[in-house]
Amino acid sequence: MSITVDTDPSRLDVGLVHRFLSTESTWARGIPRETVERAIRHSLCFGVYDGDMQVGFARVVTDTATHAWLCDVFVLDAHRGRGIARLLMDTVVAHPQLQGLRRFALATSTASWLYERYGFKPLAHPGIWMERHDPDAYA
């Protein structure tokens, strides 16, 4: 497998990331490109590449000291089933800026089996969490 993962923002295919998030994801459907660009600028992003072609992505919103939130994780459909998501997650959880955090969170409705392999569990105290959620933000 010639798959590599890195955090070089200049390699990211922002158009591919935007297309996937805005048309294929369940969590960011309709997201404007400008919003994706701003999110990428202010996050630690991981691109997954098969040679020079980007085939996956993950974004971590973090202060690099106490908290991180993993989001926008995907592998393109044509490249699934090859262990790419595991390689991506291996790289994310081993990243030096994501060590020693008090809390590393994520939300998923489809791949809890993957994240459980990396120590993610349901919230211990969900009653203390609050959110402001606008499911139509991009409509």
Side-chain angles (χ1 to χ4, degrees):
M1 176 172 12
S2 63
I3 303 299
T4 58
V5 180
D6 72 41
T7 57
D8 179 356
S10 70
R11 285 191 73 191
L12 291 173
D13 182 341
V14 178
L16 176 125
V17 173
H18 173 252
R19 272 189 308 281
F20 184 90
L21 293 176
S22 67
T23 65
E24 295 184 45
S25 78
T26 58
W27 63 90
R29 192 160 312 262
I31 190 169
R33 182 178 170 117
E34 299 78 28
T35 302
V36 172
E37 291 170 352
R38 190 170 67 236
I40 287 172
R41 271 194 313 275
H42 297 285
S43 302
L44 176 60
C45 296
F46 296 78
V48 184
Y49 305 92
D50 187 350
D52 289 332
M53 181 176 65
Q54 187 171 346
V55 299
F57 179 78
R59 186 168 68 85
V60 180
V61 180
T62 184
D63 62 10
T64 73
T66 64
H67 185 83
W69 174 46
L70 176 63
C71 54
D72 295 340
V73 179
F74 69 84
V75 173
L76 297 177
D77 193 46
H79 298 273
R80 293 179 187 162
R82 299 171 50 198
I84 294 172
R86 286 191 307 275
L87 176 62
L88 174 57
M89 284 304 300
D90 287 347
T91 306
V92 168
V93 299
H95 194 279
Q97 291 180 322
L98 302 175
Q99 304 308 304
L101 301 171
R102 183 178 68 241
R103 179 165 283 123
F104 199 158
L106 66 86
T108 184
S109 62
T110 59
S112 58
W113 56 270
L114 171 65
Y115 303 113
E116 287 169 354
R117 298 173 68 146
Y118 296 92
F120 289 91
K121 303 174 193 165
L123 295 173
H125 304 287
I128 67 169
W129 286 83
M130 298 177 73
E131 69 178 346
R132 288 177 51 182
H133 182 236
D134 181 358
D136 300 319
Y138 311 130

